[in-house]
Amino acid sequence: SVAAVSPYVLDYFQMSYAVLGTVIGLYLLPGAAVALPGGVLAQRYGDKFIVCIGLAAMTLGGVIMGASNNYAILFGGRVISGCGAVLLNVLVTKMVTDWFQGREIVTALGILITSWPLGIAAALVVLPTLAEATSWSIVTYAAAALSGAAFLLVAAFYRTPANRNGSPSLGLSIGLSRRELVLAILAGLVWTFYNIAFIIVLAFGSEFLIASGQGRLAASAMISTVSWIIIPAIPIGAWASERIGRPDLTMIGCFLLVALAIWWLAAIGPSLALLVAIGFIFGPPGGLIMTLPGEAAPPERRAVTMGIYFTCYYVGMGILPPIAGYARDLTGSAATPLWFAGAMAVLASICLVQ
C-alpha cells in the first residue's frame, strides 16, 4: 500500500527516497526476528489465536500510520503492521497445510501464493486512484479496514481441521530433532533462493532493458509481463505438477530452465518471448516448495517448522538483493544482477537435492 501511493507519501512528509525505502522495508524487516517466535507461540496457544493477533496488529499499525504526522509514528505503525503480517504469513501457510495435507495440497498452496502478486497488482491499480480522490491516509485506513475484516472472518469462522492430531504444546521450546531442523532450514533456503531469483529479475530487469536500448515505458511494460504471467502460472502450474506426481523432478527442472532463460536474456538482450517464458517457468515450483516445510516435521511441530522456514526467507530477502546491487555497481554491467538471479535458481535446486 505504501509503495502504490509513494508519490503522495513523499509529498505529505517531504521525505527523501532513502526514507521512503526505509518505510517500505520496515514491513519485512521484523520477519527475521518474529517468524520463529510466532511459530513457537502458535504451537503453544494455537494457530487461530496467533493469526488473530497478527491481523489485529496489521489493523492497528495501519490506523497508526494513517494518523501519523511525523516519522516516529509512521515508522512505529509500519513496524507493528509488519510484525502482524509476518505472523499471518507463517501461520496461514501452516493452516492451509493442515487442511489440505494428503489432498490437493500443492494446488491449495499454489492458490495461496497467488494472492501475493495478485494483491500487489490490485493495489497498484486501485490505491493510487483512491489516494488521488481522497488522501494517502485514507488508503492506509482502507488497508487497515481490510485487515480488520479478515480478523472478524477468521475469529468467526475458522476452525481447526478434524484430522488435525495433537493439542497445543504446554511449553515454548522449539522441540525439533536435528533432522527436522535441517530439513526446515533447507526448505526455507529453497523458498528464499526461488523468490530472490524472481525479485531480482523484477527489480533490476528494467534497468537492464534500458541499458540495452529500450525506452523507460517499454522496459517497464516488458518486465511487468513476468509478474502478470506468474499470477495464473502459479495455480495452474501447481495443479498440473500435482497430477504429474514428480515434485522434486518438476522443481529441479523448472529451477534449471529458468536459470538458463535468465542467463540467455542477460546474454542476448531484450526479448519479450524469454520474459514470457521466465514467467511461465517460475509458476510450477511455487506450490510444490510450500509443501516442503509441512513434510519436515509432524503436524504438532509444524508451526515451528514454518517459523524457521520463513526466518530463512526474511533474512535472505534482507541480505541477497543488496548483494546483487553491489555486484552491479562493482562490475558496471546492467546484466550482472540477472546472472546473479540465475545463480539463485541454481542454488535452490542444490538445496532441494540436499
Side-chain angles (χ1 to χ4, degrees):
S1 59
V2 172
V5 296
S6 57
Y8 303 91
V9 178
L10 287 167
D11 288 344
Y12 182 84
F13 287 98
Q14 293 297 298
M15 64 174 57
S16 67
Y17 285 99
V19 175
L20 176 66
T22 301
V23 174
I24 294 172
L26 282 174
Y27 202 72
L28 290 178
L29 185 62
V34 174
L36 179 55
V40 173
L41 289 170
Q43 186 170 275
R44 171 65 180 88
Y45 297 106
D47 305 334
K48 180 175 179 176
F49 178 74
I50 300 301
V51 163
C52 286
I53 293 293
L55 287 167
M58 291 174 69
T59 305
L60 175 62
V63 171
I64 291 173
M65 287 179 63
S68 63
N69 55 13
N70 60 63
Y71 287 169
I73 298 175
L74 182 68
F75 288 0
R78 187 69 167 167
V79 169
I80 291 171
S81 187
C83 288
V86 170
L87 295 177
L88 178 71
N89 206 21
V90 172
L91 273 305
V92 164
T93 306
K94 188 257 184 186
M95 288 153 67
V96 172
T97 302
D98 284 348
W99 267 100
F100 289 91
Q101 188 73 55
R103 55 186 187 96
E104 298 184 317
I105 184 173
V106 179
T107 303
L109 288 170
I111 293 170
L112 173 66
I113 297 168
T114 306
S115 66
W116 182 55
L118 184 60
I120 292 172
L124 292 173
V125 172
V126 174
L127 297 186
T129 303
L130 179 60
E132 182 67 28
T134 56
S135 68
W136 78 271
S137 59
I138 295 298
V139 167
T140 306
Y141 290 141
L146 290 174
S147 299
F151 170 88
L152 295 175
L153 289 170
V154 172
F157 297 110
Y158 181 77
R159 58 186 177 85
T160 302
N163 61 349
R164 170 70 163 85
N165 296 320
S167 57
S169 168
L170 295 179
L172 293 174
S173 63
I174 294 177
L176 297 180
S177 68
R178 181 177 179 180
R179 179 178 181 276
E180 291 168 347
L181 177 62
V182 170
L183 289 176
I185 292 172
L186 286 172
L189 291 176
V190 173
W191 181 241
T192 300
F193 292 136
Y194 166 80
N195 277 277
I196 293 296
F198 176 69
I199 288 167
I200 288 176
V201 170
L202 295 184
F204 292 92
S206 292
E207 191 214 359
F208 169 73
L209 296 178
I210 292 169
S212 302
Q214 296 291 311
R216 290 183 179 274
L217 293 178
S220 297
M222 289 180 69
I223 287 298
S224 71
T225 302
V226 179
S227 184
W228 286 109
I229 290 293
I230 203 172
I231 292 174
I234 289 176
I236 293 173
W239 176 84
S241 61
E242 195 160 40
R243 277 143 186 80
I244 292 172
R246 302 290 296 275
D248 291 347
L249 184 61
T250 300
M251 283 187 280
I252 292 172
C254 287
F255 293 151
L256 297 180
L257 283 174
V258 83
L260 290 174
I262 294 170
W263 287 339
W264 192 3
L265 181 70
I268 70 171
S271 170
L272 183 60
L274 274 176
L275 290 169
V276 170
I278 289 168
F280 273 119
I281 300 169
F282 261 121
L288 291 169
I289 299 170
M290 292 296 276
T291 67
L292 296 177
E295 298 169 356
E300 61 269 17
R301 295 194 290 278
R302 191 171 286 156
V304 173
T305 303
M306 290 293 180
I308 294 170
Y309 175 83
F310 279 104
T311 297
C312 293
Y313 168 72
Y314 288 118
V315 171
M317 286 290 290
I319 294 174
L320 293 173
I323 293 176
Y326 177 73
R328 165 68 177 91
D329 293 336
L330 192 65
T331 62
S333 171
T336 299
L338 296 184
W339 293 104
F340 187 89
M344 294 296 101
V346 173
L347 284 175
S349 67
I350 293 173
C351 289
L352 181 62
V353 170
Q354 296 301 318

PDB file of all heavy atoms in Angstrom, residues 241-275:
ATOM      1  N   SER A 241       1.414 -29.859 -11.774  1.00  0.00           N
ATOM      2  CA  SER A 241       2.516 -30.601 -11.159  1.00  0.00           C
ATOM      3  C   SER A 241       2.003 -31.638 -10.176  1.00  0.00           C
ATOM      4  O   SER A 241       2.611 -32.703 -10.007  1.00  0.00           O
ATOM      5  CB  SER A 241       3.474 -29.631 -10.465  1.00  0.00           C
ATOM      6  OG  SER A 241       2.814 -28.905  -9.441  1.00  0.00           O
ATOM      7  N   GLU A 242       0.868 -31.345  -9.529  1.00  0.00           N
ATOM      8  CA  GLU A 242       0.292 -32.321  -8.604  1.00  0.00           C
ATOM      9  C   GLU A 242      -0.156 -33.566  -9.341  1.00  0.00           C
ATOM     10  O   GLU A 242      -0.056 -34.682  -8.830  1.00  0.00           O
ATOM     11  CB  GLU A 242      -0.882 -31.687  -7.854  1.00  0.00           C
ATOM     12  CG  GLU A 242      -1.311 -32.466  -6.639  1.00  0.00           C
ATOM     13  CD  GLU A 242      -2.108 -31.602  -5.673  1.00  0.00           C
ATOM     14  OE1 GLU A 242      -2.935 -30.794  -6.138  1.00  0.00           O
ATOM     15  OE2 GLU A 242      -1.893 -31.726  -4.467  1.00  0.00           O
ATOM     16  N   ARG A 243      -0.632 -33.391 -10.564  1.00  0.00           N
ATOM     17  CA  ARG A 243      -1.095 -34.524 -11.352  1.00  0.00           C
ATOM     18  C   ARG A 243       0.059 -35.253 -12.038  1.00  0.00           C
ATOM     19  O   ARG A 243      -0.051 -36.442 -12.321  1.00  0.00           O
ATOM     20  CB  ARG A 243      -2.141 -34.057 -12.366  1.00  0.00           C
ATOM     21  CG  ARG A 243      -3.518 -33.968 -11.721  1.00  0.00           C
ATOM     22  CD  ARG A 243      -4.366 -32.812 -12.211  1.00  0.00           C
ATOM     23  NE  ARG A 243      -5.601 -32.759 -11.425  1.00  0.00           N
ATOM     24  CZ  ARG A 243      -5.674 -32.210 -10.200  1.00  0.00           C
ATOM     25  NH1 ARG A 243      -4.608 -31.673  -9.652  1.00  0.00           N
ATOM     26  NH2 ARG A 243      -6.816 -32.204  -9.544  1.00  0.00           N
ATOM     27  N   ILE A 244       1.152 -34.563 -12.287  1.00  0.00           N
ATOM     28  CA  ILE A 244       2.331 -35.231 -12.839  1.00  0.00           C
ATOM     29  C   ILE A 244       2.914 -36.188 -11.809  1.00  0.00           C
ATOM     30  O   ILE A 244       3.363 -37.288 -12.141  1.00  0.00           O
ATOM     31  CB  ILE A 244       3.385 -34.187 -13.272  1.00  0.00           C
ATOM     32  CG1 ILE A 244       2.851 -33.394 -14.472  1.00  0.00           C
ATOM     33  CG2 ILE A 244       4.710 -34.855 -13.623  1.00  0.00           C
ATOM     34  CD1 ILE A 244       3.724 -32.218 -14.856  1.00  0.00           C
ATOM     35  N   GLY A 245       2.933 -35.751 -10.547  1.00  0.00           N
ATOM     36  CA  GLY A 245       3.352 -36.631  -9.462  1.00  0.00           C
ATOM     37  C   GLY A 245       4.850 -36.803  -9.305  1.00  0.00           C
ATOM     38  O   GLY A 245       5.294 -37.749  -8.662  1.00  0.00           O
ATOM     39  N   ARG A 246       5.647 -35.906  -9.883  1.00  0.00           N
ATOM     40  CA  ARG A 246       7.105 -35.960  -9.711  1.00  0.00           C
ATOM     41  C   ARG A 246       7.578 -34.621  -9.174  1.00  0.00           C
ATOM     42  O   ARG A 246       8.199 -33.833  -9.890  1.00  0.00           O
ATOM     43  CB  ARG A 246       7.779 -36.279 -11.050  1.00  0.00           C
ATOM     44  CG  ARG A 246       7.340 -37.575 -11.709  1.00  0.00           C
ATOM     45  CD  ARG A 246       7.831 -38.787 -10.938  1.00  0.00           C
ATOM     46  NE  ARG A 246       9.285 -38.855 -10.929  1.00  0.00           N
ATOM     47  CZ  ARG A 246      10.008 -39.410 -11.892  1.00  0.00           C
ATOM     48  NH1 ARG A 246       9.402 -39.934 -12.964  1.00  0.00           N
ATOM     49  NH2 ARG A 246      11.322 -39.442 -11.808  1.00  0.00           N
ATOM     50  N   PRO A 247       7.289 -34.315  -7.907  1.00  0.00           N
ATOM     51  CA  PRO A 247       7.536 -32.968  -7.390  1.00  0.00           C
ATOM     52  C   PRO A 247       8.989 -32.523  -7.451  1.00  0.00           C
ATOM     53  O   PRO A 247       9.288 -31.418  -7.892  1.00  0.00           O
ATOM     54  CB  PRO A 247       7.020 -33.035  -5.946  1.00  0.00           C
ATOM     55  CG  PRO A 247       7.024 -34.484  -5.600  1.00  0.00           C
ATOM     56  CD  PRO A 247       6.726 -35.197  -6.868  1.00  0.00           C
ATOM     57  N   ASP A 248       9.924 -33.376  -6.985  1.00  0.00           N
ATOM     58  CA  ASP A 248      11.328 -32.966  -6.970  1.00  0.00           C
ATOM     59  C   ASP A 248      11.858 -32.743  -8.384  1.00  0.00           C
ATOM     60  O   ASP A 248      12.561 -31.762  -8.650  1.00  0.00           O
ATOM     61  CB  ASP A 248      12.176 -34.010  -6.249  1.00  0.00           C
ATOM     62  CG  ASP A 248      11.895 -34.057  -4.750  1.00  0.00           C
ATOM     63  OD1 ASP A 248      11.229 -33.129  -4.252  1.00  0.00           O
ATOM     64  OD2 ASP A 248      12.325 -35.014  -4.087  1.00  0.00           O
ATOM     65  N   LEU A 249      11.515 -33.648  -9.281  1.00  0.00           N
ATOM     66  CA  LEU A 249      11.965 -33.515 -10.670  1.00  0.00           C
ATOM     67  C   LEU A 249      11.390 -32.261 -11.311  1.00  0.00           C
ATOM     68  O   LEU A 249      12.086 -31.545 -12.043  1.00  0.00           O
ATOM     69  CB  LEU A 249      11.557 -34.757 -11.470  1.00  0.00           C
ATOM     70  CG  LEU A 249      12.036 -34.806 -12.922  1.00  0.00           C
ATOM     71  CD1 LEU A 249      13.554 -34.796 -12.981  1.00  0.00           C
ATOM     72  CD2 LEU A 249      11.487 -36.049 -13.621  1.00  0.00           C
ATOM     73  N   THR A 250      10.115 -31.977 -11.021  1.00  0.00           N
ATOM     74  CA  THR A 250       9.479 -30.777 -11.566  1.00  0.00           C
ATOM     75  C   THR A 250      10.169 -29.509 -11.064  1.00  0.00           C
ATOM     76  O   THR A 250      10.469 -28.599 -11.835  1.00  0.00           O
ATOM     77  CB  THR A 250       7.988 -30.730 -11.187  1.00  0.00           C
ATOM     78  OG1 THR A 250       7.330 -31.882 -11.721  1.00  0.00           O
ATOM     79  CG2 THR A 250       7.320 -29.475 -11.741  1.00  0.00           C
ATOM     80  N   MET A 251      10.432 -29.457  -9.750  1.00  0.00           N
ATOM     81  CA  MET A 251      11.072 -28.273  -9.185  1.00  0.00           C
ATOM     82  C   MET A 251      12.475 -28.075  -9.741  1.00  0.00           C
ATOM     83  O   MET A 251      12.841 -26.967 -10.181  1.00  0.00           O
ATOM     84  CB  MET A 251      11.113 -28.374  -7.654  1.00  0.00           C
ATOM     85  CG  MET A 251       9.782 -28.086  -6.975  1.00  0.00           C
ATOM     86  SD  MET A 251       9.907 -28.024  -5.162  1.00  0.00           S
ATOM     87  CE  MET A 251       9.909 -29.773  -4.766  1.00  0.00           C
ATOM     88  N   ILE A 252      13.286 -29.137  -9.731  1.00  0.00           N
ATOM     89  CA  ILE A 252      14.660 -29.013 -10.220  1.00  0.00           C
ATOM     90  C   ILE A 252      14.677 -28.630 -11.690  1.00  0.00           C
ATOM     91  O   ILE A 252      15.451 -27.761 -12.117  1.00  0.00           O
ATOM     92  CB  ILE A 252      15.427 -30.332  -9.990  1.00  0.00           C
ATOM     93  CG1 ILE A 252      15.629 -30.558  -8.494  1.00  0.00           C
ATOM     94  CG2 ILE A 252      16.771 -30.313 -10.715  1.00  0.00           C
ATOM     95  CD1 ILE A 252      16.197 -31.918  -8.148  1.00  0.00           C
ATOM     96  N   GLY A 253      13.799 -29.256 -12.488  1.00  0.00           N
ATOM     97  CA  GLY A 253      13.732 -28.919 -13.909  1.00  0.00           C
ATOM     98  C   GLY A 253      13.377 -27.459 -14.125  1.00  0.00           C
ATOM     99  O   GLY A 253      13.990 -26.773 -14.955  1.00  0.00           O
ATOM    100  N   CYS A 254      12.396 -26.953 -13.376  1.00  0.00           N
ATOM    101  CA  CYS A 254      11.995 -25.548 -13.515  1.00  0.00           C
ATOM    102  C   CYS A 254      13.098 -24.601 -13.052  1.00  0.00           C
ATOM    103  O   CYS A 254      13.346 -23.573 -13.686  1.00  0.00           O
ATOM    104  CB  CYS A 254      10.708 -25.293 -12.737  1.00  0.00           C
ATOM    105  SG  CYS A 254       9.224 -25.988 -13.492  1.00  0.00           S
ATOM    106  N   PHE A 255      13.772 -24.939 -11.932  1.00  0.00           N
ATOM    107  CA  PHE A 255      14.861 -24.083 -11.452  1.00  0.00           C
ATOM    108  C   PHE A 255      15.956 -23.945 -12.507  1.00  0.00           C
ATOM    109  O   PHE A 255      16.440 -22.842 -12.789  1.00  0.00           O
ATOM    110  CB  PHE A 255      15.474 -24.659 -10.169  1.00  0.00           C
ATOM    111  CG  PHE A 255      14.552 -24.649  -8.981  1.00  0.00           C
ATOM    112  CD1 PHE A 255      14.683 -25.598  -7.981  1.00  0.00           C
ATOM    113  CD2 PHE A 255      13.563 -23.692  -8.842  1.00  0.00           C
ATOM    114  CE1 PHE A 255      13.845 -25.604  -6.878  1.00  0.00           C
ATOM    115  CE2 PHE A 255      12.717 -23.674  -7.746  1.00  0.00           C
ATOM    116  CZ  PHE A 255      12.858 -24.638  -6.762  1.00  0.00           C
ATOM    117  N   LEU A 256      16.355 -25.071 -13.080  1.00  0.00           N
ATOM    118  CA  LEU A 256      17.447 -25.036 -14.053  1.00  0.00           C
ATOM    119  C   LEU A 256      17.019 -24.368 -15.350  1.00  0.00           C
ATOM    120  O   LEU A 256      17.786 -23.605 -15.960  1.00  0.00           O
ATOM    121  CB  LEU A 256      17.950 -26.462 -14.317  1.00  0.00           C
ATOM    122  CG  LEU A 256      18.554 -27.178 -13.095  1.00  0.00           C
ATOM    123  CD1 LEU A 256      19.027 -28.576 -13.472  1.00  0.00           C
ATOM    124  CD2 LEU A 256      19.704 -26.374 -12.505  1.00  0.00           C
ATOM    125  N   LEU A 257      15.779 -24.631 -15.776  1.00  0.00           N
ATOM    126  CA  LEU A 257      15.293 -23.994 -17.002  1.00  0.00           C
ATOM    127  C   LEU A 257      15.165 -22.480 -16.847  1.00  0.00           C
ATOM    128  O   LEU A 257      15.510 -21.717 -17.750  1.00  0.00           O
ATOM    129  CB  LEU A 257      13.943 -24.590 -17.402  1.00  0.00           C
ATOM    130  CG  LEU A 257      13.971 -25.977 -18.055  1.00  0.00           C
ATOM    131  CD1 LEU A 257      12.549 -26.494 -18.253  1.00  0.00           C
ATOM    132  CD2 LEU A 257      14.705 -25.921 -19.391  1.00  0.00           C
ATOM    133  N   VAL A 258      14.680 -22.028 -15.695  1.00  0.00           N
ATOM    134  CA  VAL A 258      14.524 -20.591 -15.504  1.00  0.00           C
ATOM    135  C   VAL A 258      15.891 -19.921 -15.378  1.00  0.00           C
ATOM    136  O   VAL A 258      16.086 -18.787 -15.843  1.00  0.00           O
ATOM    137  CB  VAL A 258      13.627 -20.284 -14.285  1.00  0.00           C
ATOM    138  CG1 VAL A 258      14.402 -20.318 -12.969  1.00  0.00           C
ATOM    139  CG2 VAL A 258      12.956 -18.923 -14.438  1.00  0.00           C
ATOM    140  N   ALA A 259      16.873 -20.621 -14.776  1.00  0.00           N
ATOM    141  CA  ALA A 259      18.235 -20.078 -14.724  1.00  0.00           C
ATOM    142  C   ALA A 259      18.790 -19.901 -16.133  1.00  0.00           C
ATOM    143  O   ALA A 259      19.371 -18.855 -16.459  1.00  0.00           O
ATOM    144  CB  ALA A 259      19.141 -21.008 -13.904  1.00  0.00           C
ATOM    145  N   LEU A 260      18.601 -20.911 -16.976  1.00  0.00           N
ATOM    146  CA  LEU A 260      19.077 -20.815 -18.359  1.00  0.00           C
ATOM    147  C   LEU A 260      18.374 -19.686 -19.107  1.00  0.00           C
ATOM    148  O   LEU A 260      19.011 -18.947 -19.879  1.00  0.00           O
ATOM    149  CB  LEU A 260      18.862 -22.148 -19.073  1.00  0.00           C
ATOM    150  CG  LEU A 260      19.744 -23.322 -18.617  1.00  0.00           C
ATOM    151  CD1 LEU A 260      19.315 -24.609 -19.307  1.00  0.00           C
ATOM    152  CD2 LEU A 260      21.213 -23.024 -18.907  1.00  0.00           C
ATOM    153  N   ALA A 261      17.065 -19.537 -18.881  1.00  0.00           N
ATOM    154  CA  ALA A 261      16.313 -18.476 -19.560  1.00  0.00           C
ATOM    155  C   ALA A 261      16.787 -17.092 -19.130  1.00  0.00           C
ATOM    156  O   ALA A 261      16.933 -16.176 -19.953  1.00  0.00           O
ATOM    157  CB  ALA A 261      14.817 -18.640 -19.288  1.00  0.00           C
ATOM    158  N   ILE A 262      17.039 -16.932 -17.826  1.00  0.00           N
ATOM    159  CA  ILE A 262      17.518 -15.635 -17.318  1.00  0.00           C
ATOM    160  C   ILE A 262      18.909 -15.333 -17.864  1.00  0.00           C
ATOM    161  O   ILE A 262      19.206 -14.206 -18.292  1.00  0.00           O
ATOM    162  CB  ILE A 262      17.514 -15.626 -15.781  1.00  0.00           C
ATOM    163  CG1 ILE A 262      16.078 -15.717 -15.240  1.00  0.00           C
ATOM    164  CG2 ILE A 262      18.188 -14.369 -15.240  1.00  0.00           C
ATOM    165  CD1 ILE A 262      15.992 -15.955 -13.748  1.00  0.00           C
ATOM    166  N   TRP A 263      19.784 -16.330 -17.845  1.00  0.00           N
ATOM    167  CA  TRP A 263      21.141 -16.127 -18.372  1.00  0.00           C
ATOM    168  C   TRP A 263      21.118 -15.839 -19.871  1.00  0.00           C
ATOM    169  O   TRP A 263      21.915 -15.045 -20.368  1.00  0.00           O
ATOM    170  CB  TRP A 263      21.995 -17.365 -18.088  1.00  0.00           C
ATOM    171  CG  TRP A 263      22.374 -17.499 -16.645  1.00  0.00           C
ATOM    172  CD1 TRP A 263      22.397 -16.507 -15.705  1.00  0.00           C
ATOM    173  CD2 TRP A 263      22.774 -18.691 -15.965  1.00  0.00           C
ATOM    174  NE1 TRP A 263      22.785 -17.001 -14.483  1.00  0.00           N
ATOM    175  CE2 TRP A 263      23.031 -18.333 -14.605  1.00  0.00           C
ATOM    176  CE3 TRP A 263      22.942 -20.023 -16.354  1.00  0.00           C
ATOM    177  CZ2 TRP A 263      23.442 -19.269 -13.666  1.00  0.00           C
ATOM    178  CZ3 TRP A 263      23.358 -20.943 -15.415  1.00  0.00           C
ATOM    179  CH2 TRP A 263      23.610 -20.578 -14.079  1.00  0.00           C
ATOM    180  N   TRP A 264      20.223 -16.501 -20.581  1.00  0.00           N
ATOM    181  CA  TRP A 264      20.086 -16.252 -22.024  1.00  0.00           C
ATOM    182  C   TRP A 264      19.652 -14.804 -22.267  1.00  0.00           C
ATOM    183  O   TRP A 264      20.164 -14.122 -23.149  1.00  0.00           O
ATOM    184  CB  TRP A 264      19.084 -17.240 -22.616  1.00  0.00           C
ATOM    185  CG  TRP A 264      19.055 -17.284 -24.117  1.00  0.00           C
ATOM    186  CD1 TRP A 264      19.848 -16.583 -24.986  1.00  0.00           C
ATOM    187  CD2 TRP A 264      18.185 -18.076 -24.927  1.00  0.00           C
ATOM    188  NE1 TRP A 264      19.536 -16.880 -26.279  1.00  0.00           N
ATOM    189  CE2 TRP A 264      18.507 -17.805 -26.282  1.00  0.00           C
ATOM    190  CE3 TRP A 264      17.173 -18.983 -24.650  1.00  0.00           C
ATOM    191  CZ2 TRP A 264      17.844 -18.398 -27.335  1.00  0.00           C
ATOM    192  CZ3 TRP A 264      16.514 -19.588 -25.708  1.00  0.00           C
ATOM    193  CH2 TRP A 264      16.845 -19.303 -27.036  1.00  0.00           C
ATOM    194  N   LEU A 265      18.701 -14.334 -21.462  1.00  0.00           N
ATOM    195  CA  LEU A 265      18.269 -12.941 -21.556  1.00  0.00           C
ATOM    196  C   LEU A 265      19.443 -11.997 -21.296  1.00  0.00           C
ATOM    197  O   LEU A 265      19.628 -11.000 -22.012  1.00  0.00           O
ATOM    198  CB  LEU A 265      17.146 -12.674 -20.551  1.00  0.00           C
ATOM    199  CG  LEU A 265      16.562 -11.256 -20.529  1.00  0.00           C
ATOM    200  CD1 LEU A 265      15.755 -10.993 -21.797  1.00  0.00           C
ATOM    201  CD2 LEU A 265      15.686 -11.049 -19.298  1.00  0.00           C
ATOM    202  N   ALA A 266      20.245 -12.288 -20.281  1.00  0.00           N
ATOM    203  CA  ALA A 266      21.400 -11.452 -19.963  1.00  0.00           C
ATOM    204  C   ALA A 266      22.410 -11.433 -21.094  1.00  0.00           C
ATOM    205  O   ALA A 266      23.102 -10.434 -21.319  1.00  0.00           O
ATOM    206  CB  ALA A 266      22.063 -11.950 -18.678  1.00  0.00           C
ATOM    207  N   ALA A 267      22.486 -12.540 -21.828  1.00  0.00           N
ATOM    208  CA  ALA A 267      23.479 -12.659 -22.893  1.00  0.00           C
ATOM    209  C   ALA A 267      23.049 -11.986 -24.192  1.00  0.00           C
ATOM    210  O   ALA A 267      23.866 -11.348 -24.874  1.00  0.00           O
ATOM    211  CB  ALA A 267      23.796 -14.130 -23.152  1.00  0.00           C
ATOM    212  N   ILE A 268      21.753 -12.091 -24.543  1.00  0.00           N
ATOM    213  CA  ILE A 268      21.326 -11.611 -25.862  1.00  0.00           C
ATOM    214  C   ILE A 268      20.606 -10.266 -25.816  1.00  0.00           C
ATOM    215  O   ILE A 268      20.426  -9.613 -26.843  1.00  0.00           O
ATOM    216  CB  ILE A 268      20.424 -12.640 -26.574  1.00  0.00           C
ATOM    217  CG1 ILE A 268      19.056 -12.738 -25.876  1.00  0.00           C
ATOM    218  CG2 ILE A 268      21.104 -13.992 -26.646  1.00  0.00           C
ATOM    219  CD1 ILE A 268      18.042 -13.568 -26.647  1.00  0.00           C
ATOM    220  N   GLY A 269      20.143  -9.849 -24.620  1.00  0.00           N
ATOM    221  CA  GLY A 269      19.448  -8.569 -24.532  1.00  0.00           C
ATOM    222  C   GLY A 269      17.937  -8.724 -24.567  1.00  0.00           C
ATOM    223  O   GLY A 269      17.406  -9.831 -24.383  1.00  0.00           O
ATOM    224  N   PRO A 270      17.185  -7.631 -24.778  1.00  0.00           N
ATOM    225  CA  PRO A 270      15.721  -7.633 -24.685  1.00  0.00           C
ATOM    226  C   PRO A 270      15.062  -8.718 -25.524  1.00  0.00           C
ATOM    227  O   PRO A 270      15.365  -8.883 -26.704  1.00  0.00           O
ATOM    228  CB  PRO A 270      15.346  -6.243 -25.194  1.00  0.00           C
ATOM    229  CG  PRO A 270      16.550  -5.401 -24.925  1.00  0.00           C
ATOM    230  CD  PRO A 270      17.725  -6.306 -25.122  1.00  0.00           C
ATOM    231  N   SER A 271      14.165  -9.456 -24.893  1.00  0.00           N
ATOM    232  CA  SER A 271      13.400 -10.497 -25.583  1.00  0.00           C
ATOM    233  C   SER A 271      12.094 -10.714 -24.837  1.00  0.00           C
ATOM    234  O   SER A 271      12.091 -11.257 -23.722  1.00  0.00           O
ATOM    235  CB  SER A 271      14.189 -11.810 -25.648  1.00  0.00           C
ATOM    236  OG  SER A 271      13.371 -12.872 -26.111  1.00  0.00           O
ATOM    237  N   LEU A 272      10.991 -10.301 -25.433  1.00  0.00           N
ATOM    238  CA  LEU A 272       9.682 -10.486 -24.797  1.00  0.00           C
ATOM    239  C   LEU A 272       9.367 -11.969 -24.656  1.00  0.00           C
ATOM    240  O   LEU A 272       8.798 -12.396 -23.643  1.00  0.00           O
ATOM    241  CB  LEU A 272       8.600  -9.790 -25.622  1.00  0.00           C
ATOM    242  CG  LEU A 272       7.184  -9.848 -25.046  1.00  0.00           C
ATOM    243  CD1 LEU A 272       7.120  -9.205 -23.665  1.00  0.00           C
ATOM    244  CD2 LEU A 272       6.192  -9.156 -26.001  1.00  0.00           C
ATOM    245  N   ALA A 273       9.753 -12.773 -25.640  1.00  0.00           N
ATOM    246  CA  ALA A 273       9.489 -14.210 -25.587  1.00  0.00           C
ATOM    247  C   ALA A 273      10.177 -14.854 -24.384  1.00  0.00           C
ATOM    248  O   ALA A 273       9.587 -15.692 -23.684  1.00  0.00           O
ATOM    249  CB  ALA A 273       9.956 -14.879 -26.878  1.00  0.00           C
ATOM    250  N   LEU A 274      11.421 -14.447 -24.121  1.00  0.00           N
ATOM    251  CA  LEU A 274      12.134 -15.002 -22.970  1.00  0.00           C
ATOM    252  C   LEU A 274      11.488 -14.561 -21.663  1.00  0.00           C
ATOM    253  O   LEU A 274      11.393 -15.346 -20.715  1.00  0.00           O
ATOM    254  CB  LEU A 274      13.597 -14.565 -22.998  1.00  0.00           C
ATOM    255  CG  LEU A 274      14.555 -15.427 -23.819  1.00  0.00           C
ATOM    256  CD1 LEU A 274      15.950 -14.812 -23.824  1.00  0.00           C
ATOM    257  CD2 LEU A 274      14.614 -16.855 -23.276  1.00  0.00           C
ATOM    258  N   LEU A 275      11.039 -13.318 -21.585  1.00  0.00           N
ATOM    259  CA  LEU A 275      10.387 -12.833 -20.364  1.00  0.00           C
ATOM    260  C   LEU A 275       9.084 -13.583 -20.107  1.00  0.00           C
ATOM    261  O   LEU A 275       8.769 -13.921 -18.957  1.00  0.00           O
ATOM    262  CB  LEU A 275      10.137 -11.331 -20.467  1.00  0.00           C
ATOM    263  CG  LEU A 275      11.400 -10.461 -20.404  1.00  0.00           C
ATOM    264  CD1 LEU A 275      11.080  -9.022 -20.782  1.00  0.00           C
ATOM    265  CD2 LEU A 275      12.011 -10.507 -19.003  1.00  0.00           C
TER     266      LEU A 275
END
